[in-house]
Amino acid sequence: MNPRAAGRFAGLPLPAWLIMLSSVPLLGGVARLLQLSSGDPPAPEDLRFAIAPLPVTLHIIAATFYCLVGAFQFDSGLRSRWLALHRVLGRLTVTCGLIVGLTGLWMTLASEIPSGLQGELLRVVRVAVAASMVAFLVLGVMTI
């Protein structure tokens, strides 16, 4: 296989696919931030975000950088031509990933989820995903 084509699928580079994959949750995060900053009274199921906006704001901003900047970490051209930039962006990506995981844990453990919306299983899954994200980022940095 052509080395230049190795990072491409259907003609698009991998970072483009990763950004497209991230676009729906990122747009949802932007909508949540706009809702929080509008001053309108929140819906009952969103009251927990209005009461404690810091963790959700940090979570959304860090996730945006994690997804967008992190996508370019998979660009072999960036790694080979601008190694110093790749390393700086890698540090930013890991920092943002840790913020995403830790704020995810914070929101899951500190907030009451309205009854009827989600069950205890979802809480367990959220804790497992957030803790795994933090653990794997730490392991990745240790490996590097």
Side-chain angles (χ1 to χ4, degrees):
M1 176 180 240
N2 179 347
R4 292 187 76 132
R8 296 178 180 270
F9 178 75
L12 288 176
L14 182 58
W17 285 104
L18 292 171
I19 289 170
M20 284 190 294
L21 184 65
S22 302
S23 65
V24 172
L26 292 179
L27 290 173
V30 168
R32 173 75 68 198
L33 288 178
L34 290 173
Q35 175 194 19
L36 285 172
S37 65
S38 72
D40 294 337
E45 62 270 7
D46 294 335
L47 189 57
R48 66 188 187 274
F49 301 126
I51 291 170
L54 180 63
V56 72
T57 302
L58 288 173
H59 187 79
I60 292 168
I61 292 170
T64 300
F65 281 99
Y66 181 76
C67 291
L68 296 179
V69 175
F72 290 98
Q73 290 301 95
F74 293 96
D75 183 10
S76 60
L78 177 71
R79 284 192 308 272
S80 63
R81 282 182 239 140
W82 297 294
L83 184 59
L85 178 62
H86 171 72
R87 288 179 177 162
V88 169
L89 293 178
R91 290 181 184 105
L92 176 63
T93 301
V94 168
T95 302
C96 288
L98 291 172
I99 292 169
V100 170
L102 293 172
T103 55
L105 279 172
W106 179 4
M107 290 185 293
T108 301
L109 298 174
S111 300
E112 278 298 317
I113 297 173
S115 62
L117 285 182
Q118 299 142 347
E120 191 60 29
L121 178 61
L122 182 57
R123 183 179 297 275
V124 169
V125 169
R126 286 179 174 172
V127 168
V129 168
S132 297
M133 182 174 184
V134 169
F136 286 123
L137 284 166
V138 169
L139 287 172
V141 168
M142 289 171 51
T143 301
I144 293 169

